[in-house]
Amino acid sequence: MRKPRKKLALLAVALIATAGTLTACTSNGSDAESTDGGGGDTIKIGLLLPESKTTRYESFDRPLFEEKLKSLGDYEIIYANADQDAAKQQQQAESALTEGIKVLVLDPVDGAAAASIAESASAQDVPVVSYDRLIKSDKVTYYISFDNEQVGVLQGTALVDRLTKDGTTTGLIMINGSPTDANAAEFKKGAHSVIDPSGIPILAEYDTPDWSPDKAQEWAAGQITQFGDEMSGIYAANDGTAGGAIAAVKAAGTEPIPPVTGQDAELAAIQRIVAGDQYMTVYKAIKLEAERAAEVAHQLAQGDTPEPDTTFQDIPSTLLTPVMVTVDNIQETVIDDGFYTVDDICTAEYADACAKAGLQ
Ligand code: BGC
């Protein structure tokens, strides 16, 4: 675990604000944005992220990557977010390649479809860093992510242990991630590895298109109608889908809210955990992931070969360790790590719940 860095969250917010003022359309009319170093020897690096409904990308991944990369040299970052649209991401990649990027850091909407992006980049001698989600291509130069199967194991273990302890093992539903995201398959595999042998019935299971919280909510509402009280737990693959599921439970007036899992340690999820609406989330230290990606991009741009920490499916890789978060270890995880301050979490609405949880 890293040393506490209490200023990180504020810094991230400040950086987003700065990045917002630097937005510029590229000459070919695409919506790629560039944060410009401006100098003559500036090297262009592409950063393509998949969506913006999950808060991590714009609040952490992007600013942390940009900040680190700019500390390493004179770089211009060609940035675009695909809003979970694979075709749009394809165009953004083409546009970034046309702009002359030297390295492409790509978090794909669709891991299989993104193979053609990796092909085009490779044909132009542009190394491709597969960021967080795996691109299904042998043209990937380096892969940086977390141990994603372990994310699912943490979620499944937390849920099974909690239901067993509460004696509420009548059945759970599973809200998985997007079927086009290779990570979603890993989360699901890890969760099943714990839930299946537990004997707790899986009443129904759903792969959420686009990781959409709205679709998760709609599907969960239907399951609540169908299964009623038999549904004693909800596996949700991330905090966005967890938020959708919890909204559905609240709309149905079911009390108490069954234990719901999540992932990303989004601020809203941490607040729901403090308030008792969500049981757990998984904290992934995005700062380490984004900064490693910046280092790797820098090395590749300089013509160096990054030293891998491990390999994943034969690709030189860095795989970071996810951490389980419940109300009992918010302080030791996201706060001590500088991801949030107590003030970020404990706004007026959550003051009482925070005091009860010992957060102050
Ligand atoms: C990421 C998660 C994220 C999800 C939805 C996954 O690939 O690993 O952190 O919640 O995509 O964007």
Side-chain angles (χ1 to χ4, degrees):
M1 182 75 54
R2 291 175 37 252
K3 291 217 191 83
R5 283 205 215 177
K6 308 244 177 213
K7 299 250 160 58
L8 175 60
L10 285 175
L11 183 64
V13 171
L15 281 164
I16 300 162
T18 313
T21 61
L22 292 169
T23 298
C25 278
T26 51
S27 50
N28 63 5
S30 86
D31 60 355
E33 298 170 6
S34 105
T35 50
D36 194 353
D41 297 328
T42 307
I43 298 175
K44 292 178 178 172
I45 305 277
L47 174 66
L48 302 184
L49 297 180
E51 55 123 335
S52 45
K53 284 197 178 159
T54 301
T55 54
R56 59 170 287 179
Y57 301 109
E58 297 295 335
S59 301
F60 292 101
D61 295 274
R62 176 189 183 181
L64 291 169
F65 176 86
E66 291 184 349
E67 185 193 12
K68 180 69 180 179
L69 192 60
K70 289 188 171 191
S71 77
L72 295 171
D74 187 8
Y75 289 105
E76 178 183 354
I77 294 129
I78 308 292
Y79 174 75
N81 189 308
D83 295 317
Q84 202 57 41
D85 178 338
K88 186 169 172 182
Q89 189 166 62
Q90 177 88 36
Q91 284 168 4
Q92 292 171 336
E94 278 161 20
S95 154
L97 287 167
T98 306
E99 287 216 38
I101 53 166
K102 289 281 170 279
V103 179
L104 175 61
V105 179
L106 172 61
D107 189 342
V109 172
D110 181 323
S116 69
I117 298 178
E119 294 280 342
S120 313
S122 162
Q124 296 174 50
D125 290 327
V126 174
V128 177
V129 179
S130 186
Y131 183 71
D132 196 70
R133 300 180 182 176
L134 190 65
I135 303 162
K136 295 191 173 160
S137 163
D138 60 5
K139 304 290 189 225
V140 172
T141 314
Y142 202 98
Y143 175 50
I144 299 167
S145 191
F146 286 82
D147 180 340
N148 292 308
E149 190 175 337
Q150 179 63 12
V151 170
V153 169
L154 293 176
Q155 295 168 323
T157 304
L159 187 58
V160 165
D161 287 355
R162 169 74 193 269
L163 296 179
T164 306
K165 188 169 143 265
D166 290 355
T168 51
T169 54
T170 43
L172 55 86
I173 60 167
M174 289 186 76
I175 305 175
N176 301 306
S178 163
T180 66
D181 174 0
N183 284 351
E186 297 284 314
F187 305 145
K188 189 171 165 178
K189 184 172 158 201
H192 269 288
S193 77
V194 182
I195 295 170
D196 295 358
S198 78
I200 300 173
I202 297 171
L203 303 172
E205 188 166 4
Y206 178 63
D207 291 335
T208 312
D210 302 334
W211 284 99
S212 158
D214 296 344
K215 288 177 187 154
Q217 179 171 349
E218 198 185 313
W219 183 80
Q223 307 316 301
I224 294 163
T225 308
Q226 186 171 348
F227 296 109
D229 288 346
E230 197 185 346
M231 191 191 77
S232 57
I234 301 179
Y235 168 88
N238 76 346
D239 290 334
T241 52
I246 291 164
V249 173
K250 287 192 165 180
T254 310
E255 277 183 17
I257 299 172
V260 180
T261 66
Q263 163 182 200
D264 288 335
E266 286 195 351
L267 185 55
I270 296 292
Q271 289 173 326
R272 287 194 297 262
I273 291 173
V274 171
D277 288 351
Q278 181 170 330
Y279 176 49
M280 65 83 74
T281 186
V282 175
Y283 170 55
K284 303 190 296 188
I286 298 169
K287 184 172 165 62
L288 300 182
E289 187 182 27
E291 292 192 342
R292 182 75 184 123
E295 275 164 18
V296 166
H298 166 65
Q299 287 165 343
L300 291 169
Q302 303 303 322
D304 297 334
T305 305
E307 188 64 42
D309 300 294
T310 184
T311 56
F312 184 79
Q313 298 182 7
D314 294 332
I315 306 165
S317 299
T318 298
L319 294 179
L320 300 161
T321 305
V323 180
M324 174 179 145
V325 182
T326 65
V327 73
D328 297 326
N329 68 344
I330 290 174
Q331 176 71 52
E332 294 76 14
T333 54
V334 293
I335 295 176
D336 282 356
D337 210 25
F339 203 56
Y340 302 121
T341 62
V342 171
D343 286 350
D344 292 333
I345 300 166
C346 300
T347 54
E349 195 186 335
Y350 295 95
D352 291 348
C354 275
K356 240 171 111 192
L359 294 176
Q360 40 208 294

